[in-house]
Amino acid sequence: MKIHLSFVLWILMAVVVAGQAKPHRKTNNQPNADIKSDCAGSHMTLTVDEVLAVGNQLEIEATNGSEHILLTPGLAAKCGYSMESDPWGNTRIYTSLMGCYVDNTDDTFFNIGLRLKMYSDGTSDVVTRDVTKTCSYSAWASQEIVCDRNYMEISKDLGQRDASPHTKGHAGNIKDDLTNNAMLNVNDTAYGIWKMTFYTPEPTVMMLDEVHEAGYGAMTSPNRLVVRSPYNTAQTYSEDVAGVPMEVVKVGTYFTTPQGLRIVDLIAACPIGGVTVNDGTISWNIPRYITPLLTGRVKILEMHMGINGKRLDKAQRASRGYTLSSTEYHLVIELPIGSPDGYFKSHAPDYQYHLSYTVEPMLELLWIAKDTQSDTRYKVLFPITTPLMPWYPDIADETIPEEGVFKVKFGTLLHDVNLVNITFSTGVLSAAECNAKGFLQEQKYSNGSKVYLLQVPFSDDVVLKHNPDPLLTAYFLPLTYGFMVMPEETPFSYSLAVDASLNDVVLPSVFGTCDDATFFITVKYGSQGRNFETMLGTQMLTPELGRVYGQTENGTHLSLSLPYTSLDVAFELFDTASVKARLDVLLWEPINNWSLREFSLACNFPLTTTKCYSNGTMTALSVKLESVPNLVPHQLTLRDKSCKPYFSDDRFAHFSFNVNACGTSRVFFGNYLLYENDISLDYSAKAFTSPVEPDFRHTVSCYYLVNDMATLEFDNKPLVNIPSAEIGTGQLMVEMRLALDESYELFYQAQDYPVQKYLRQPAYFEVALLHSANPQLELILDNCWATLQEERTSLPRWDIIVDGCENLEDRYITIFHPVVSDQRVVVPSLFKRFSVKVFSFVKDKEVLQDEIYVHCDAVICDLNAGNGVCSQCRGSTGVRQPVAAKGQRVQRSTTLHKWQISSGPVRINFLK
């Protein structure tokens, strides 16, 4: 697995301004309580607290006597300075004791001076910190190799003082160049480094000035030769050592001494890989024998592991879960991801949340060459950043449905992540808006991480609701959190949804009372308002029916008043003085077809069903009961089947007869005479009855006193006027309806218009005289026509029926359909049916409109007139009614009334 190695971390929160002119700023010198310095072996470490550094631009200057030199990244690598910072702003600055601007006393005491400048954004002030530190270090090995973040450093003892206790008497790899001594007049040359040869592996010779110009550092201390090289230069090369890639710098250095010209061979090899990440553990593999540095067998004297340049002992390593082990070919350092010495950083590639973990282990070795007894100290400071790891924050649904509030905890997120907004079903709310609504709380922990607690009431508009059953409400809250990773301002989002269910539905209720003639019904709405439809009996409560029943509504209740004779009331039982009627009320939810409440109210209403008159006449009222649903009242008869009702409708049959007729029986009981008859169904005429339907029989009787004394007064006056019958007036109603098909059983209702029909598809019309059962009348269609507009006199128009007959000029002739008696049609002469193929009006081959209206003039004729004119055209027999001359109309002398009726619109769908 490839690991990103952060060798150059020279930027803290913003780019260090190097070599750029700054505007004049006020200097603010303050004490250094927020800066700490430590000596750690051959390094000095300076730690800058986040309180000071965060949000600032940081510049570092090296103190060189009275001068302050700005350390640019290139100069820092050349002179032995490095820096790193974490996302919190904590910054560490490392200085090599062999650095360019370190005051070195005999390679034992080192005075280091740094100046820190913090520039605040948008201000003219600069905060300056001057830091000095004296470190003492004398445990130098003959050769010291340091692999720092941004450079490789080799220093070698020149043999001008006592050697290391491990290698006393051995300077190693230092030799006199007698040939060049002869060529070079030492007395004429300043002592120090003359030139250098880099091997890549081809030799490249540079003079000292050229070495410095190329970015390399080369210098001598009182006792040591120091060479420093940045990574990835033209004079470095890569080499694989035991499977670990190493960067190598190899150089021969020529320098002059009072004794003459000397050559020192220096080589450094630093790992640039060898890291794997598995199962939450970082494994760093370093070659056990770094072959570019070795010419023979060596013995490892010391092996140390550390963090951030500081050694850790075994107890410290164990407490952190770190291990340092060795194999045949490698030294292995293992660190658990998430250890306290490292830090996490947020990322959002492709809008997905990821984390990386950065930690800086250190490996320090001391070995001795068995052949030369020369010792080498090898130290590697190795920042490791893991590959990006997908991170899925915990989502805790802490909702308690009974509290009526969604509670969602989202986290944990790092300190560098900010919540920007949340998308609800109704739209996007910023974090500030969520706070203002009381939805959002941010909880921070001591380590800077955070969680977000979202609390949304079930009643809020952002919550979706539905009812899986009548008493249960399901609440659903879809969420999309929008985040931003800082300071990169990289966005990412998380979508989730939470749901809860609660038995919180209060169903509507129904109650009612009765008086002598009326049902009074009240419906109280439930918790969801009027979310229901109302059925009265078998009929839906429509606005039109509500007006008939005096419906009132106030937002919480609905009230109705129904006469007990309403068609929606069922009759259960009746006797001579009353009828028991029942009203069924059903409240149902139409979307899911749920029955919310069933209610029945039965009451006895006063109703006289039998009357006895002293002249021997009896009247009886028979009622159609619920138990005989197929009973047709007009088919009821007395015992004498010829004695039928003088009036009947869908629910009642009225009889009037003499006690000595219609099969009435009589029986004497003492001084009383009982007359009795039965009202029953004439089964010979019975139609559409169920085989299990009970027989209907209603017995009526009258008692008369046989012997009684009464006083009768009689007064005789001459008649002034001869009685005569007056002509009565009334209203007859005619309607035209459009049937679904030629069976004429089902018809389109008002809400179905405009009716959709295809061109030339038959449209079936029926015209009927309502509220009449007089067989001596006949309905005649005089004229029918179609228009584009609802106004019957509008133009253009097209005749469908002319003078009672088909329009022979029409290509598709109107067809009259016969009418026969059935359960709905009692008197066929009061109905007319015809069909016409749907057409459209065209002008200049363009359809004027895709809707038509049909209008008719209907007349009612008296069949007793007997003149033959009062009949519809008999086109099927080839005989047409008399047709008037042009400009005249056939006069129907027997016409009683004339009506104008219309139907439509019919919308035409044109097939393509």
Side-chain angles (χ1 to χ4, degrees):
M1 179 176 295
K2 184 178 180 181
I3 301 298
H4 173 67
L5 305 178
S6 302
F7 286 110
V8 181
L9 300 172
W10 202 250
I11 307 300
L12 171 65
M13 308 303 292
V15 177
V16 172
V17 180
Q20 178 180 344
K22 290 281 191 303
H24 177 69
R25 293 185 173 115
K26 180 180 178 181
T27 302
N28 182 12
N29 287 290
Q30 297 183 10
N32 297 331
D34 42 20
I35 299 177
K36 297 179 181 180
S37 58
D38 293 293
C39 300
S42 60
H43 280 79
M44 189 275 286
T45 303
L46 191 68
T47 303
V48 182
D49 190 84
E50 62 176 297
V51 176
L52 176 65
V54 69
N56 295 322
Q57 293 184 358
L58 175 63
E59 284 186 353
I60 304 174
E61 295 178 350
T63 302
N64 186 24
S66 60
E67 290 185 281
H68 294 91
I69 295 92
L70 178 65
L71 293 176
T72 64
L75 184 60
K78 181 164 66 173
C79 286
Y81 298 87
S82 66
M83 184 180 79
E84 67 169 359
S85 62
D86 62 24
W88 290 269
N90 297 304
T91 304
R92 287 186 295 273
I93 303 166
Y94 298 87
T95 303
S96 171
L97 299 186
M98 289 294 170
C100 297
Y101 307 110
V102 176
D103 183 15
N104 183 342
T105 303
D106 198 29
D107 289 338
T108 303
F109 298 99
F110 306 88
N111 296 313
I112 303 159
L114 294 173
R115 172 170 286 183
L116 310 182
K117 291 183 178 181
M118 276 72 69
Y119 294 89
S120 299
D121 292 337
T123 68
S124 59
D125 291 341
V126 57
V127 177
T128 302
R129 294 287 192 274
D130 287 326
V131 181
T132 60
K133 182 71 174 179
T134 299
C135 294
S136 174
Y137 183 70
S138 58
W140 296 100
S142 298
Q143 177 176 252
E144 300 231 352
I145 300 172
V146 177
C147 300
D148 208 330
R149 300 155 194 81
N150 54 334
Y151 64 86
M152 299 178 283
E153 179 184 277
I154 320 108
S155 72
K156 178 168 275 192
D157 186 88
L158 296 177
Q160 296 176 2
R161 63 173 183 177
D162 290 341
S164 164
H166 305 292
T167 61
K168 191 167 184 178
H170 294 273
N173 289 342
I174 300 176
K175 55 184 179 292
D176 294 327
D177 190 339
L178 300 179
T179 302
N180 281 298
N181 277 337
M183 296 174 59
L184 181 65
N185 187 350
V186 175
N187 295 325
D188 296 332
T189 304
Y191 299 140
I193 299 174
W194 172 36
K195 66 178 180 179
M196 300 176 70
T197 301
F198 292 88
Y199 299 94
T200 58
E202 298 298 325
T204 301
V205 178
M206 295 185 186
M207 303 306 291
L208 182 60
D209 290 344
E210 294 174 320
V211 169
H212 289 161
E213 289 177 3
Y216 301 97
M219 57 178 284
T220 58
S221 70
N223 302 291
R224 305 182 73 82
L225 174 65
V226 182
V227 173
R228 203 173 288 113
S229 170
Y231 290 92
N232 299 315
T233 67
Q235 279 70 46
T236 62
Y237 62 94
S238 296
E239 183 174 334
D240 185 284
V241 180
V244 177
M246 309 282 286
E247 186 151 356
V248 180
V249 59
K250 185 176 182 181
V251 60
T253 304
Y254 297 78
F255 68 98
T256 60
T257 67
Q259 291 77 29
L261 181 66
R262 308 183 71 181
I263 302 174
V264 179
D265 293 328
L266 301 174
I267 184 169
C270 294
I272 55 175
V275 177
T276 58
V277 178
N278 288 299
D279 298 328
T281 299
I282 299 172
S283 297
W284 178 29
N285 294 270
I286 308 96
R288 183 167 183 173
Y289 301 102
I290 305 173
T291 53
L293 306 179
L294 306 177
T295 57
R297 296 175 60 83
V298 299
K299 179 181 179 181
I300 297 178
L301 303 178
E302 297 179 13
M303 183 166 58
H304 305 280
M305 177 207 165
I307 292 290
N308 298 328
K310 292 184 178 181
R311 294 180 182 179
L312 298 177
D313 58 30
K314 289 183 179 180
Q316 290 173 319
R317 296 201 303 265
S319 66
R320 292 166 166 82
Y322 302 154
T323 62
L324 173 59
S325 60
S326 62
T327 66
E328 182 178 0
Y329 299 104
H330 295 95
L331 303 176
V332 182
I333 293 177
E334 292 186 331
L335 309 97
I337 294 176
S339 66
D341 295 312
Y343 61 87
F344 286 100
K345 176 71 178 76
S346 298
H347 308 269
D350 299 325
Y351 305 100
Q352 301 297 314
Y353 188 42
H354 289 71
L355 297 181
S356 65
Y357 177 74
T358 299
V359 67
E360 185 178 298
M362 179 193 77
L363 176 67
E364 184 177 342
L365 301 175
L366 178 65
W367 68 73
I368 186 170
K370 293 185 176 182
D371 53 353
T372 65
Q373 295 297 302
S374 174
D375 63 343
T376 299
R377 189 178 304 278
Y378 182 77
K379 181 190 291 187
V380 183
L381 304 176
F382 197 75
I384 299 173
T385 297
T386 65
L388 299 187
M389 301 172 288
W391 183 255
Y392 304 98
D394 292 332
I395 300 169
D397 184 359
E398 300 177 349
T399 304
I400 300 175
E402 289 71 21
E403 295 179 353
V405 179
F406 279 114
K407 295 182 180 179
V408 182
K409 183 176 287 187
F410 189 96
T412 302
L413 298 168
L414 295 186
H415 73 289
D416 58 355
V417 174
N418 290 335
L419 177 63
V420 179
N421 56 44
I422 301 178
T423 302
F424 298 93
S425 61
T426 55
V428 181
L429 294 178
S430 67
E433 290 171 326
C434 291
N435 282 324
K437 290 175 69 70
F439 286 176
L440 190 63
Q441 295 180 18
E442 181 181 279
Q443 298 178 353
K444 289 187 176 181
Y445 299 109
S446 58
N447 63 359
S449 62
K450 64 184 77 172
V451 297
Y452 291 96
L453 178 61
L454 189 70
Q455 301 186 72
V456 181
F458 289 176
S459 58
D460 199 275
D461 292 340
V462 302
V463 178
L464 303 177
K465 311 170 186 69
H466 77 281
N467 298 97
D469 63 55
L471 293 174
L472 185 69
T473 303
Y475 298 93
F476 183 68
L477 181 62
L479 302 166
T480 299
Y481 291 81
F483 295 100
M484 192 78 73
V485 176
M486 304 302 292
E488 298 86 354
E489 296 186 350
T490 307
F492 69 96
S493 63
Y494 267 98
S495 295
L496 60 99
V498 289
D499 59 82
S501 298
L502 193 60
N503 286 311
D504 58 354
V505 179
V506 178
L507 297 179
S509 56
V510 187
F511 52 93
T513 59
C514 304
D515 64 7
D516 287 346
T518 308
F519 287 99
F520 298 98
I521 301 298
T522 299
V523 179
K524 181 181 179 182
Y525 300 165
S527 58
Q528 296 181 323
R530 190 172 180 185
N531 67 324
F532 57 86
E533 299 287 352
T534 305
M535 294 286 293
L536 299 174
T538 59
Q539 188 171 202
M540 181 77 69
L541 177 62
T542 62
E544 294 79 9
L545 189 60
R547 287 192 290 269
V548 173
Y549 292 153
Q551 175 181 332
T552 60
E553 196 172 357
N554 64 2
T556 61
H557 293 75
L558 178 151
S559 299
L560 300 166
S561 302
L562 284 75
Y564 79 91
T565 56
S566 302
L567 293 176
D568 300 313
V569 174
F571 294 141
E572 294 183 339
L573 188 65
F574 70 94
D575 54 27
T576 57
S578 67
V579 61
K580 185 178 181 181
R582 188 188 76 252
L583 176 62
D584 295 328
V585 180
L586 171 65
L587 306 182
W588 65 287
E589 195 271 332
I591 297 177
N592 298 292
N593 200 26
W594 289 330
S595 175
L596 303 182
R597 187 74 67 183
E598 294 182 7
F599 174 81
S600 293
L601 178 62
C603 298
N604 290 309
F605 296 92
L607 178 65
T608 302
T609 59
T610 304
K611 290 184 179 180
C612 305
Y613 296 91
S614 59
N615 65 353
T617 300
M618 293 176 60
T619 60
L621 173 63
S622 189
V623 180
K624 178 179 179 180
L625 299 179
E626 182 184 33
S627 58
V628 282
N630 292 319
L631 177 68
V632 181
H634 79 81
Q635 294 179 348
L636 294 173
T637 68
L638 296 172
R639 289 174 181 169
D640 184 345
K641 302 305 179 184
S642 64
C643 294
K644 298 183 177 181
Y646 72 88
F647 173 78
S648 65
D649 58 18
D650 290 339
R651 315 197 74 190
F652 301 98
H654 297 264
F655 292 87
S656 179
F657 57 96
N658 190 275
V659 296
N660 295 317
C662 295
T664 307
S665 62
R666 62 182 180 179
V667 178
F668 286 94
F669 289 96
N671 201 33
Y672 290 91
L673 182 59
L674 171 64
Y675 289 93
E676 190 174 76
N677 207 325
D678 295 322
I679 301 174
S680 61
L681 188 62
D682 181 5
Y683 284 94
S684 64
K686 185 178 178 182
F688 306 107
T689 58
S690 169
V692 296
E693 184 177 291
D695 291 338
F696 178 82
R697 185 173 300 278
H698 173 202
T699 300
V700 296
S701 58
C702 282
Y703 292 87
Y704 290 91
L705 188 62
V706 177
N707 297 318
D708 193 12
M709 295 293 294
T711 302
L712 179 63
E713 294 184 2
F714 177 77
D715 185 13
N716 184 18
K717 293 181 180 180
L719 294 175
V720 179
N721 296 314
I722 299 174
S724 61
E726 294 183 358
I727 298 175
T729 61
Q731 292 185 350
L732 295 175
M733 296 180 64
V734 176
E735 75 170 352
M736 178 163 64
R737 296 192 295 175
L738 179 59
L740 269 68
D741 53 38
E742 59 186 341
S743 68
Y744 288 93
E745 292 180 353
L746 300 174
F747 295 85
Y748 292 104
Q749 303 301 312
Q751 64 268 21
D752 299 325
Y753 286 88
V755 173
Q756 303 284 339
K757 293 288 184 180
Y758 290 105
L759 195 64
R760 291 190 291 278
Q761 180 183 3
Y764 299 93
F765 293 91
E766 178 182 274
V767 182
L769 175 62
L770 304 179
H771 310 306
S772 176
N774 191 343
Q776 303 305 318
L777 300 179
E778 182 168 4
L779 171 71
I780 301 297
L781 297 180
D782 192 16
N783 291 283
C784 296
W785 65 98
T787 64
L788 284 175
Q789 307 299 328
E790 189 174 3
E791 174 59 46
R792 57 191 289 111
T793 60
S794 62
L795 295 176
R797 61 174 274 174
W798 182 259
D799 291 329
I800 297 172
I801 296 176
V802 180
D803 292 331
C805 294
E806 310 93 326
N807 179 11
L808 297 179
E809 297 180 2
D810 197 337
R811 180 180 177 183
Y812 301 102
I813 297 177
T814 302
I815 298 175
F816 288 100
H817 296 274
V819 182
V820 295
S821 178
D822 56 24
Q823 190 175 13
R824 183 173 66 87
V825 178
V826 179
V827 182
S829 63
L830 303 182
F831 292 77
K832 286 295 181 287
R833 295 171 177 169
F834 68 92
S835 64
V836 60
K837 292 186 177 180
V838 175
F839 59 91
S840 62
F841 286 92
V842 178
K843 183 178 181 180
D844 297 330
K845 297 184 180 180
E846 293 290 332
V847 177
L848 296 180
Q849 187 171 304
D850 62 353
E851 290 184 351
I852 61 172
Y853 294 82
V854 176
H855 316 274
C856 286
D857 289 336
V859 297
I860 307 299
C861 293
D862 183 1
L863 296 179
N864 292 326
N867 59 6
V869 176
C870 194
S871 62
Q872 198 70 52
C873 180
R874 296 188 296 275
S876 61
T877 61
V879 180
R880 293 179 59 82
Q881 293 296 317
V883 179
K886 187 173 183 180
Q888 296 180 345
R889 303 290 292 175
V890 174
Q891 299 298 317
R892 302 182 186 275
S893 59
T894 57
T895 299
L896 296 178
H897 294 281
K898 186 172 184 178
W899 282 264
Q900 297 175 338
I901 48 180
S902 301
S903 178
V906 176
R907 180 166 291 168
I908 306 163
N909 290 327
F910 296 95
L911 294 174
K912 297 182 179 180

